[in-house]
Amino acid sequence: MKAISFVAKHPRTAALRALNYTPEIEKIRAARKGRSVPLRDLLLRMGPAYGTVFTRKDCAPERGIELLSQSDMFASEPRGRIIRRDSMGNPDAHEIARFDVLVAGAGTLGENELYGRSIIADRRLAGKYVGPDAMSLVFEEPGSDISLFAYAFLASPTGVRAIRSTSYGTKILRFRDDLFGTLPIPLVSNEATSRVASLVRATIKDRELYDGKLRSARAVVDQLQDIQAAKEMVTDRRISAVIWDGPLDTISAWNFASTRGAFSHLSSAWKFRLRDAIEDGGAFNGPRFSRIECDRPYGIDFMSQRDVFLMRPVPRRIARPAIPDRQLLVPSNAILAGSHGQLSEGSLFGKVELASHLGDKCGVTQDILRLLPREGHRAVAYTFLSTAVGQALLKSTAVGTSIPSVRLDLLLKLPYPTLSSTDARLVDSLTSDAELARMRATASETEAIRIIEEEVLPEWLV
């Protein structure tokens, strides 16, 4: 990132830090009256739960609500921490509604940090709750053209810089409400506003379709009788013990007892193992290597473990390391799994994702486990591993103390389901539809932001 300097023609006594000024926003502010509108004039509420403090009281899923962290808000499949609703003094202020804009509100100014980035809430997020680090923007007219246009502006690179310019603090930055509310939203022709708004609506629709298709695919696997029995075991939160009469591949009780008998039950009920669905040598992590930052057009995009599971990744740009493509890049048909981290609820360890949303030349961290499925098994393998039972089985392969990792021999011995040809075709079709919907959503949002950056803003920035 290049250092820049500019003159603020109208500095404000309320904002004396250079951080609180950006050249693009100052030019929009300086435009003649009526060409922009302060963000707060479009809002019904701004950050009603931002900065609140409360004690989280964990509880069983059927008795609580889902509290999302900053990373959870941006996840392709948001899954938060289950807490009691009365943990919060004013729960309604934390609840997410469709068309709310959620902004990551605590962090640093790193180029690929989430801080200052926005996402618009669709049905994947609606009904869940945000914590004190999320700035939620509730519009007077949710879903209207101007509110969707405002979201696209805030989500653009210029918008991110504008949002970050409202920061205060040193180590962990947060937003100043007074500065945030005065951010100018440019007003453009009805035609341009409508184009951008239509693209954002398409983004929301396709993300909801993506989520619905994946849920339908999982339902096909979840309805298996053996899966239902195993699910009762892995979701039982009571302390339990198991008797193990098989080989002791490890001396860690976790690998045998964490699934509360589900592993033994499914191993007896199913004759196939995960290795039967994976190519020979098709389960591996990449090597460690030095990551040297660089700028476009040089180098490649590089995704961390966090980025792989985000709906809109924020990759780093690094110099291309001298390692083989197979160990750095991933083919679009691969299944990716978080293989280093903690075992707590909401952690990335064991989560799975399809690689089709990554770029062809995008590098992936060694913390991500690559699974290359045999022909005809990709959709079923992914869907099974993403169910509650599959997730519990994946986590049961963890070894280590401080930062557990997946042990490959245990992974390949996991039981693997046999579906009827009809069910397998249905899972494949639903998964394919979900992937296409996600890629359409990404393309629509990218185009909306391109219009903002390349067609709208140049009017002010010449």
Side-chain angles (χ1 to χ4, degrees):
M1 181 181 292
K2 296 179 181 178
I4 62 170
S5 62
F6 69 98
V7 175
K9 293 183 179 180
H10 303 287
R12 302 178 297 283
T13 57
L16 300 178
R17 300 177 68 183
L19 169 64
N20 297 137
Y21 298 89
T22 58
E24 300 96 335
I25 294 303
E26 293 309 305
K27 285 190 175 183
I28 294 175
R29 289 187 199 278
R32 67 178 182 272
K33 189 176 181 180
R35 293 194 65 197
S36 67
V37 58
L39 175 63
R40 64 175 170 234
D41 289 358
L42 302 176
L43 300 178
L44 181 65
R45 294 190 302 276
M46 184 177 73
Y50 187 52
T52 57
V53 178
F54 58 92
T55 301
R56 294 152 178 78
K57 302 172 185 175
D58 295 306
C59 66
E62 63 273 13
R63 297 184 180 276
I65 54 93
E66 203 169 341
L67 181 71
L68 302 180
S69 67
Q70 285 191 131
S71 294
D72 294 330
M73 295 188 314
F74 292 86
S76 56
E77 294 187 79
R79 292 177 187 169
R81 178 176 173 179
I82 305 299
I83 65 169
R84 283 168 44 177
R85 193 173 187 270
D86 61 6
S87 296
M88 299 167 282
N90 182 14
D92 291 339
H94 296 257
E95 188 170 4
I96 303 169
R98 193 167 183 250
F99 297 122
D100 286 355
V101 172
L102 309 177
V103 188
T108 67
L109 299 176
E111 195 167 353
N112 67 321
E113 293 295 321
L114 289 179
Y115 177 65
R117 300 185 187 277
S118 310
I119 192 162
I120 193 164
D122 50 50
R123 291 195 179 95
R124 297 174 308 117
L125 294 162
K128 300 182 180 184
Y129 293 72
V130 293
D133 293 336
M135 171 70 81
S136 53
L137 307 179
V138 183
F139 285 87
E140 285 272 9
E141 300 177 17
S144 65
D145 281 4
I146 186 61
S147 67
L148 299 182
F149 178 88
Y151 161 69
F153 171 73
L154 295 174
S156 69
T158 300
V160 173
R161 290 194 295 273
I163 290 172
R164 288 182 170 187
S165 75
T166 69
S167 301
Y168 75 94
T170 52
K171 188 174 182 181
I172 301 296
L173 302 177
R174 300 181 71 85
F175 304 135
R176 283 179 49 177
D177 291 356
D178 58 332
L179 298 183
F180 202 107
T182 62
L183 287 178
I185 304 299
L187 298 177
V188 297
S189 67
N190 291 338
E191 186 271 337
T193 303
S194 179
R195 281 175 62 204
V196 171
S198 295
L199 288 165
V200 175
R201 286 193 189 92
T203 299
I204 294 170
K205 179 181 177 182
D206 280 325
R207 283 180 179 163
E208 292 172 344
L209 181 61
Y210 160 80
D211 184 62
K213 294 292 185 180
L214 284 188
R215 289 177 183 274
S216 296
R218 288 194 193 109
V220 176
V221 178
D222 275 332
Q223 55 84 30
L224 296 175
Q225 187 173 355
D226 293 322
I227 286 281
Q228 291 179 1
K231 188 174 183 178
E232 290 184 14
M233 300 176 192
V234 301
T235 56
D236 187 351
R237 288 173 170 251
R238 294 174 297 179
I239 296 175
S240 61
V242 299
I243 297 175
W244 180 259
D245 59 358
L248 290 173
D249 295 318
T250 78
I251 58 173
S252 171
W254 171 264
N255 302 125
F256 308 104
S258 63
T259 60
R260 295 174 174 81
F263 177 82
S264 298
H265 171 75
L266 294 178
S267 294
S268 300
W270 296 343
K271 65 178 180 179
F272 292 111
R273 299 294 177 260
L274 185 59
R275 62 172 170 265
D276 297 316
I278 303 299
E279 294 179 2
D280 293 337
F284 59 93
N285 290 87
R288 293 183 177 275
F289 56 87
S290 298
R291 297 156 193 185
I292 302 171
E293 304 282 350
C294 70
D295 294 325
R296 296 178 183 278
Y298 307 104
I300 60 169
D301 285 337
F302 180 77
M303 291 202 183
S304 67
Q305 193 166 217
R306 176 207 71 180
D307 294 321
V308 166
F309 299 102
L310 296 184
M311 179 58 77
R312 196 172 67 234
V314 191
R316 296 166 61 184
R317 193 74 180 178
I318 66 169
R320 173 66 163 84
I323 61 176
D325 283 356
R326 176 181 169 86
Q327 296 180 308
L328 176 65
L329 314 177
V330 291
S332 60
N333 71 323
I335 299 170
L336 308 178
S339 63
H340 293 133
Q342 304 304 314
L343 301 174
S344 56
E345 286 189 36
S347 68
L348 296 180
F349 188 95
K351 287 189 70 173
V352 292
E353 185 64 273
L354 294 167
S356 53
H357 74 284
L358 305 181
D360 293 335
K361 297 297 182 181
C362 183
V364 177
T365 176
Q366 75 276 358
D367 295 325
I368 289 292
L369 176 68
R370 287 81 155 160
L371 297 174
L372 306 181
R374 297 183 190 274
E375 187 175 354
H377 286 278
R378 176 173 177 266
V380 173
Y382 164 74
T383 303
F384 168 61
L385 292 175
S386 68
T387 63
V389 173
Q391 291 285 280
L393 290 172
L394 265 173
K395 289 186 175 182
S396 76
T397 67
V399 294
T401 52
S402 178
I403 302 180
S405 59
V406 168
R407 194 168 129 174
L408 293 182
D409 62 327
L410 299 180
L411 176 78
L412 295 176
K413 289 180 181 178
L414 292 179
Y416 182 73
T418 301
L419 270 64
S420 68
S421 57
T422 301
D423 283 348
R425 284 195 299 270
L426 179 58
V427 168
D428 190 68
S429 174
L430 290 167
T431 303
S432 177
D433 289 345
E435 288 182 282
L436 291 173
R438 179 173 182 176
M439 287 187 279
R440 286 198 305 268
T442 299
S444 295
E445 190 170 55
T446 300
E447 176 61 10
I449 291 172
R450 186 203 66 78
I451 293 172
I452 296 287
E453 288 288 314
E454 298 181 12
E455 298 182 25
V456 172
L457 291 177
E459 287 186 38
W460 282 268
L461 306 183
V462 290

